[in-house]
Amino acid sequence: MGGLEKAQVNFESDYWGLAARPLLEQIVEVDSSLTIKLFAENYPGKLNAAMLPVEDRKRIVYVDPPEVAKYYLADYRWKKITDYRHQKTIYDVKVSGVIIASALLVISPEALYYAKGKRLFYHKNDCEQKDSLWNNNFIVEDSDSLKTNSCMLLTDGLEYSDQLVIDKLGILAGKKGLILKLKFKYRTEGSNNDLKWVVTSGSDLDKPYQWISVYHIYGAAQPSWREVTCGVELAENKVENNKIKLYLWNINKTKIFIDDIEVELIEENQE
């Protein structure tokens, strides 16, 4: 019932991944780079590269996570078209007018921060005082050679930070092109850092239908303060009583200082 368009929503439309070959052929035709970084959702996206001419195969490098790729091969096997993060379609494979696979140009979180649009929400937390939208359970005095003031601290053994909750956004139900921007400063002392800023979207029942890692802090210590700007596109709002939550997931529970957090939600201008 509902034809091919309805079937695409409820069933896999390219089980064997045959559409991966024309996607790869289109990418190597339009991109003359010596190295082309690709992320493939499933194995056929890699296997079909064997059918390309040798000179084109040598240019393709498969990478993970998708944020470091230039192109994303989407086959919609596990996701719907509306579930994808902010990416620009450069080529679709269609059957009877229905999209079964796409080659997407990946837009980096850093680039998304500069997207233009209508501001729907803005909040800044300088961690100098109690903030009504944050829990502020971990505010401390911090002092180093460059900076002396209050900041948010995740101590050793603490896995999750305070969280910002954005609610009462019923007017956003059904909207697309929503981008959450994040700006903050941080420094770390641990040698094995693995932390992620996480955004979730869900209902009043705290059942998120979207979970996104916005920015990843990893590796050796960052003893001096560093400023970061990044952004992420949110999936289409599915409920009127939607809640958006932002928090830091400290996977290895190392020590990190966070300060001057700015959060903005925009509706991107549509071309």
Side-chain angles (χ1 to χ4, degrees):
M1 297 292 290
L4 287 176
E5 291 187 4
K6 188 69 173 180
Q8 185 209 33
V9 174
N10 296 310
F11 302 97
E12 299 173 14
S13 53
D14 185 27
Y15 180 83
W16 295 108
L18 301 179
R21 180 178 180 179
L23 293 181
L24 290 167
E25 290 173 340
Q26 179 68 13
I27 289 173
V28 297
E29 179 179 341
V30 301
D31 193 324
S32 59
S33 303
L34 294 178
T35 301
I36 303 174
K37 294 183 178 181
L38 299 179
F39 174 82
E41 282 189 323
N42 293 297
Y43 186 56
K46 299 179 179 181
L47 186 62
N48 277 266
M51 302 182 186
L52 299 176
V54 175
E55 58 271 20
D56 288 329
R57 290 204 303 270
K58 290 181 179 180
R59 296 195 293 138
I60 292 178
V61 176
Y62 288 96
V63 296
D64 191 12
E67 289 81 5
V68 300
K70 185 175 182 180
Y71 300 102
Y72 186 119
L73 302 184
D75 58 18
Y76 309 117
R77 185 169 186 180
W78 308 115
K79 298 181 181 180
K80 300 176 183 178
I81 292 179
T82 55
D83 290 337
Y84 286 83
R85 294 171 63 172
H86 193 86
Q87 292 144 344
K88 179 180 179 181
T89 301
I90 63 168
Y91 183 68
D92 291 322
V93 176
K94 298 181 179 180
V95 174
S96 298
V98 175
I99 299 172
I100 64 171
S102 301
L104 308 172
L105 179 65
V106 177
I107 301 177
S108 70
E110 292 77 13
L112 269 179
Y113 180 81
Y114 296 99
K116 304 296 183 180
K118 178 182 177 181
R119 176 182 283 184
L120 303 173
F121 173 87
Y122 175 80
H123 189 74
K124 181 176 181 178
N125 183 3
D126 60 9
C127 301
E128 293 296 322
Q129 55 193 356
K130 290 290 185 179
D131 189 297
S132 61
L133 296 185
W134 293 77
N135 303 122
N136 292 127
N137 292 322
F138 311 112
I139 300 299
V140 297
E141 290 292 327
D142 176 52
S143 177
D144 62 21
S145 59
L146 300 177
K147 187 178 172 75
T148 302
N149 66 359
S150 297
C151 63
M152 184 187 298
L153 168 66
L154 289 185
T155 59
D156 297 331
L158 188 65
E159 186 172 0
Y160 297 102
S161 74
D162 293 328
Q163 62 182 11
L164 169 68
V165 180
I166 308 171
D167 57 7
K168 298 180 176 64
L169 297 177
I171 58 172
L172 303 182
K175 286 186 177 294
K176 299 179 181 179
L178 299 178
I179 297 176
L180 187 138
K181 300 181 181 183
L182 174 64
K183 181 179 181 180
F184 67 99
K185 296 175 182 176
Y186 79 93
R187 71 179 185 88
T188 61
E189 296 182 356
S191 60
N192 186 31
N193 297 294
D194 191 358
L195 310 100
K196 295 180 180 181
W197 274 107
V198 174
V199 175
T200 65
S201 296
S203 67
D204 286 336
L205 300 177
D206 284 330
K207 295 181 179 180
Y209 58 79
Q210 184 180 38
W211 187 102
I212 300 176
S213 172
V214 185
Y215 189 82
H216 192 186
I217 301 170
Y218 58 92
Q222 173 69 33
S224 59
W225 285 94
R226 178 184 177 187
E227 184 175 85
V228 174
T229 55
C230 53
V232 65
E233 185 182 34
L234 303 180
E236 178 182 343
N237 252 2
K238 297 183 178 181
V239 292
E240 291 188 358
N241 55 345
N242 187 75
K243 283 187 177 181
I244 297 173
K245 296 182 179 181
L246 173 69
Y247 60 90
L248 191 64
W249 180 23
N250 189 1
I251 299 170
N252 287 344
K253 301 179 181 180
T254 54
K255 184 179 290 186
I256 181 170
F257 296 88
I258 302 288
D259 203 359
D260 296 334
I261 309 166
E262 295 184 48
V263 182
E264 182 180 14
L265 182 67
I266 70 166
E267 182 181 5
E268 188 181 21
N269 295 331
Q270 302 297 313
E271 297 180 355

